[in-house]
């Protein structure tokens, strides 16, 4: 094997020519056991992706990321701005989870779970194979003049791509603004909501650009996750790997010849057919080792296994394996590094579960009115004015809300026309209240009060405030 050629790949990426131009990738249509499993996983995830915004648990959208209103739903749990710490912990858990699996199993997330890969390989490329044909037919069609056949195929493909991009943009919008609002906008008609229509058109254009032209460049250039491999992977990580010891032998790889004793000639099992390169969606040669372009899609494994089977050689020349496994035949071990990440993940999950169990469906905030101290009412009563804010995180209206002091004699008076408080579902109620306490019950000029919040006779929340009174000089 030519060492210079083998190392040349490190100075460039597979989709850029020596002149710096885009090298369009025409991957061969994959097939095999791993591809069949990936299709099953992908279709399940696609069904989940399209259904999640429309599934509700206790009236809450299963997944929603409403950045504008700062409202998030994760697995049916609503997160308000006051719950931002819970949202942050959830995101950290996701990052640690992906990091853990990257350390152990390489970029498996990219090849099997990432929406970009699933849409590109399992939706758009499959449509392309159906319309344009396999690798060689696609190359031929691109070189072909713009005759009736090429125009018909291009228009059909681009139209389908645009329709799917528009559908994806709508689903994406459902995650951002909520499925109920999206369905209402659709029923009202696009002209009634131009402020939403224009972003929808922009999203459609972005998705179309990505899947029709930018494609694998997202994984290679735009996505930062590929760069993390160099930090996270080690020689114990299981990745899609080429067994160079078996493939190269003593005298390197060699084209297959029938009835030739390759072992006696010192050649490895790799017959240099380049099928692993032709089937790769990012255009790399896996025989050069782990590369940032590799998304662990396993297409090269399936293709190589098919070739090995056809020439009566053992499968697994390209397989899921670690560098240690290839070099030393060492089996996978749960390394101290993996144990450390697992421990961190378990602790974070435990913290999140604890916080969720302690989290109330109603949150109360009672704050002193800015610039106000206290006021004398009559001869002995001291009054403080406060503002209150009640946040209802449930999907049911809370009625007959009232405030009571705990372990302190005094009265709470609401500044309200009706004297009653109602908190709408997934909404808030705010207003002003006065707390009046007899001066003889104040032990100092600053007393901490506990306020209980009731809905009828049911205690739903409590909070604390500082009550100010005149300073005693006794």
């Amino acid at each position: 094997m030519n060492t210079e050629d083998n190392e040349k790949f490190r100075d460039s990426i597979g989709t850029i020519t020596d002149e710096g131009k885009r090298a369009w990738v025409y991957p061969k249509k994959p097939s095999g056991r791993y591809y069949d499993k990936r299709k099953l996983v992908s279709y399940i995830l696609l069904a989940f992706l399209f259904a999640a915004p429309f599934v509700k648990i206790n009236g809450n959208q299963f997944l929603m990321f409403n950045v504008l209103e700062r409202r998030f739903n994760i697995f049916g749990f609503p997160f308000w701005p006051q719950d931002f710490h819970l949202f942050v912990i959830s995101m950290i858990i996701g990052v640690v989870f992906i990091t853990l699996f990257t350390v152990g199993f390489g970029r498996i997330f990219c090849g099997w779970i990432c929406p970009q890969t699933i849409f590109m390989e399992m939706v758009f490329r499959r449509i392309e194979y159906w319309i344009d044909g396999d690798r060689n037919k696609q190359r031929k069609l691109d070189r072909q003049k713009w005759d009736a056949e090429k125009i018909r195929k291009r228009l059909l493909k681009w139209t389908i791509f645009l329709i799917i991009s528009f559908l994806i943009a709508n689903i994406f919008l459902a995650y951002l603004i909520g499925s109920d609002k999206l369905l209402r906008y659709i029923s009202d008609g696009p002209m009634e909501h131009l402020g939403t229509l224009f972003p929808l058109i922009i999203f459609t254009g972005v998705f179309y650009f990505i899947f029709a032209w930018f494609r694998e460049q997202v994984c290679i250039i735009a996505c930062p996750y590929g760069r993390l491999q160099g930090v996270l992977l080690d020689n114990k990580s299981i990745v899609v790997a080429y067994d160079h010891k078996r493939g190269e032998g003593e005298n390197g790889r060699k084209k297959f010849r029938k009835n030739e004793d390759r072992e006696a000639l010192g050649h490895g099992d790799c017959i240099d057919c380049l099928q692993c390169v032709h089937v790769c969606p990012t255009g790399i040669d896996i025989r050069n080792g782990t590369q940032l372009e590799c998304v662990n899609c396993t297409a090269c494994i399936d293709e190589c296994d098919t070739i090995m089977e056809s020439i009566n050689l053992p499968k697994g020349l390209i397989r899921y394996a670690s560098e240690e496994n290839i070099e030393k035949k060492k089996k996978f071990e749960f390394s101290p590094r993996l144990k450390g990440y697992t421990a961190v993940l378990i602790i974070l999950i435990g913290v999140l579960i604890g916080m969720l169990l302690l989290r109330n469906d109603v949150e109360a905030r009672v704050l002193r009115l800015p610039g106000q101290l206290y006021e004398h009412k009559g001869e002995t009563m001291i009054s403080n004015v406060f503002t209150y804010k009640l946040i209802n995180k449930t999907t049911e209206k809370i009625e007959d809300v009232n405030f009571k002091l705990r372990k302190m004699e005094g009265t709470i008076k609401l500044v309200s026309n009706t004297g009653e408080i109602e908190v709408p579902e997934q909404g808030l109620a705010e207003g002003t209240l006065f707390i009046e306490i007899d001066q003889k019950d104040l032990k100092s000029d600053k007393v901490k009060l506990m306020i209980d919040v009731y809905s009828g006779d049911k205690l739903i929340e409590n909070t604390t405030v500082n009550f100010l009174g005149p300073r005693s000089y006794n």
Side-chain angles (χ1 to χ4, degrees), residues 24-55:
W24 197 266
V25 177
Y26 302 90
K28 180 182 177 183
K29 185 178 180 180
S31 62
R33 59 190 178 104
Y34 279 115
Y35 186 65
D36 291 339
K37 292 176 182 177
R38 280 182 61 218
K39 282 196 293 186
L40 179 61
V41 172
S42 296
Y43 295 148
I44 291 173
L45 291 176
L46 281 173
F48 173 81
L49 181 71
F50 280 82
F54 303 97
V55 173

Side-chain angles (χ1 to χ4, degrees), residues 401-421:
V401 177
N402 56 87
F403 299 90
K404 294 180 182 179
L405 291 175
R406 182 189 297 183
K407 298 181 180 179
M408 176 66 74
E409 292 294 328
T411 59
I412 298 178
K413 297 180 179 179
L414 298 174
V415 181
S416 170
N417 294 330
T418 61
E420 297 181 355
I421 302 174

Side-chain angles (χ1 to χ4, degrees), residues 180-245:
D180 290 341
K181 189 177 289 187
L182 174 67
L183 293 174
R184 188 173 74 249
Y185 286 0
I186 293 173
S187 63
D188 291 344
M191 302 310 294
E192 296 293 324
H193 304 280
L194 292 177
T196 303
L197 178 62
F198 289 128
L200 183 64
I201 293 172
I202 292 172
F203 284 139
T204 300
V206 170
F207 287 126
Y208 180 80
F209 169 75
I210 288 173
F211 295 117
W213 190 83
F214 205 50
R215 300 191 158 202
E216 71 283 340
Q217 302 290 83
V218 173
C219 307
I220 298 173
I221 298 174
C223 181
Y225 181 47
R227 270 67 178 174
L228 288 175
Q229 285 189 107
V231 178
L232 299 176
L233 297 184
D234 57 27
N235 59 0
K236 297 180 177 63
S237 302
I238 296 177
V239 296
V240 173
Y242 166 67
D243 189 340
H244 58 89
K245 282 186 167 293

Side-chain angles (χ1 to χ4, degrees), residues 147-161:
D147 54 14
E149 180 192 14
K150 185 170 182 177
I151 292 172
R152 176 178 57 81
K153 288 185 175 182
R154 285 289 184 264
L155 285 177
L156 177 60
K157 183 174 75 172
W158 292 341
T159 300
I160 294 175
F161 280 8

Side-chain angles (χ1 to χ4, degrees), residues 242-244 246-249 252-256 262 267-274 276 285 287 304 307-308 311 313 317-318:
Y242 166 67
D243 189 340
H244 58 89
R246 174 188 156 190
E248 304 299 317
R253 54 185 87 130
K254 184 179 184 294
K255 294 290 184 181
F256 178 74
R262 298 176 65 86
H267 293 295
D269 285 355
C270 178
I271 62 173
D272 208 18
C273 61
L274 297 179
C276 59
D285 189 340
R287 297 173 298 177
C304 187
I307 297 297
M308 291 294 105
I311 59 175
L313 288 175
L317 180 58
I318 302 174

Side-chain angles (χ1 to χ4, degrees), residues 277-332:
V277 180
H278 294 163
V279 80
C280 178
T282 57
I284 65 168
D285 189 340
I286 192 63
R287 297 173 298 177
N288 290 328
T290 301
Q291 298 151 69
L292 70 86
E293 297 100 318
C294 179
V295 294
N296 282 23
C297 70
T298 68
C300 54
I301 296 180
D302 283 333
E303 197 65 24
C304 187
D305 282 351
T306 301
I307 297 297
M308 291 294 105
E309 193 174 29
S310 67
I311 59 175
N312 296 318
L313 288 175
K315 296 180 182 180
L317 180 58
I318 302 174
R319 63 182 186 274
Y320 274 122
S322 65
E323 187 179 331
E324 271 195 347
N325 177 258
I326 291 173
E327 293 284 350
K328 305 175 183 177
K329 303 298 181 185
K330 196 172 182 180
K331 293 184 178 180
F332 175 75

